[in-house]
Amino acid sequence: DVKVTQSSRYLVKRTGEKVFLECVQDMDHENMFWYRQDPGLGLRLIYFSYDVKMKEKGDIPEGYSVSREKKERFSLILESASTNQTSMYLCATSTQSGEPLHFGNGTRLTVT
Amino acid sequence: RKEVEQDPGPFNVPEGATVAFNCTYSNSASQSFFWYRQDCRKEPKLLMSVYSSGNEDGRFTAQLNRASQYISLLIRDSKLSDSATYLCVVNIWNAGNMLTFGGGTRLMVKP
């Protein structure tokens, strides 16, 4: 069974702080993704990566950056957190494009 | 028009009822289709893939209609534990074969 682990379940940060969300997978999947989910807006793709050191912008990359230094780890960085980044953040992996996604259990981030 | 559309519901049904959800997609070249289930405050989990010939898994049946560009999910003999949000997911070829999520349909099964 694929295991996708997100470092924190709940996180509270102040406006302007730099925030790191970590995601680790144990199944050697090529693709990793970061989504955010908000009521009424559904799941929206922030960034994704097809390989180590490779990243692509999703639909809403503004205010975020990512890092993939190792295949199993994909980090989401909020350079300067803002209140509109309060959300549920979900990491996902897949073996290749078009294949099902496997999600981590999410990080609920509150920015005050 | 959204690329993947679902009726948000909620669908309120009694235990034992049969309920069906539809999901329409706009990209005629889409090849991969999935239904996910998401419980409140939890992550989405794959319920089933949707194949051209249709497929069944216990009380759940998924169908694909390419001509009309929709997929469906049928749940028979609803259980209280089926209460969740059901997400339709479709790949979008002209966007790097990315998977795109519908907004979800909420199902509430009542005793």
Side-chain angles (χ1 to χ4, degrees):
Chain A
D1 227 15
V2 177
K3 190 161 185 195
V4 183
T5 303
Q6 293 184 229
S7 53
S8 304
R9 195 66 196 268
Y10 299 95
L11 213 50
V12 180
K13 296 291 181 181
R14 293 193 182 278
T15 300
E17 278 194 77
K18 190 168 185 176
V19 182
F20 293 86
L21 302 183
E22 305 286 347
C23 176
V24 178
Q25 52 112 349
D26 66 357
M27 285 300 290
D28 204 35
H29 282 183
E30 303 295 329
N31 304 330
M32 297 189 75
F33 306 82
W34 275 106
Y35 289 86
R36 64 177 281 179
Q37 187 174 31
D38 303 285
L41 296 175
L43 277 150
R44 293 181 291 168
L45 182 63
I46 305 171
Y47 266 98
F48 60 99
S49 170
Y50 287 137
D51 203 350
V52 175
K53 295 192 186 295
M54 177 271 174
K55 60 185 178 184
E56 293 285 345
K57 292 180 180 179
D59 299 319
I60 51 162
E62 296 79 19
Y64 303 95
S65 61
V66 290
S67 171
R68 194 167 181 199
E69 295 296 317
K70 294 185 178 181
K71 190 174 185 180
E72 67 270 19
R73 186 180 296 269
F74 193 35
S75 304
L76 180 70
I77 303 151
L78 286 65
E79 295 291 342
S80 177
S82 62
T83 53
N84 63 12
Q85 292 178 309
T86 292
S87 186
M88 168 75 118
Y89 289 88
L90 289 157
C91 174
T93 73
S94 71
T95 51
Q96 57 185 333
S97 297
E99 290 298 308
L101 297 174
H102 302 268
F103 285 90
N105 57 8
T107 296
R108 191 165 290 278
L109 172 68
T110 301
V111 182
T112 60
Chain B
R1 183 186 170 188
K2 289 183 183 176
E3 290 172 325
V4 182
E5 291 202 71
Q6 296 182 251
D7 181 342
F11 284 57
N12 295 297
V13 302
E15 266 188 296
T18 295
V19 61
F21 312 133
N22 279 349
C23 164
T24 58
Y25 60 94
S26 60
N27 190 318
S28 60
S30 294
Q31 296 292 328
S32 301
F33 309 90
F34 309 98
W35 282 103
Y36 278 71
R37 172 197 168 121
Q38 186 172 23
D39 293 295
C40 189
R41 304 179 80 82
K42 297 283 185 76
E43 75 276 18
K45 293 185 177 177
L46 180 66
L47 179 65
M48 56 201 305
S49 302
V50 186
Y51 304 119
S52 296
S53 54
N55 47 304
E56 189 173 308
D57 183 2
R59 297 181 294 109
F60 297 83
T61 300
Q63 297 279 356
L64 167 63
N65 186 317
R66 286 193 185 277
S68 301
Q69 292 182 211
Y70 74 84
I71 66 172
S72 63
L73 178 67
L74 181 79
I75 305 175
R76 288 180 297 279
D77 189 22
S78 299
K79 312 289 184 193
L80 295 177
S81 57
D82 293 335
S83 297
T85 296
Y86 292 85
L87 299 167
C88 166
V89 185
V90 178
N91 79 312
I92 306 295
W93 279 105
N94 62 357
N97 200 19
M98 296 303 298
L99 294 181
T100 297
F101 286 78
T105 297
R106 191 168 172 214
L107 171 66
M108 297 179 69
V109 182
K110 309 282 190 180

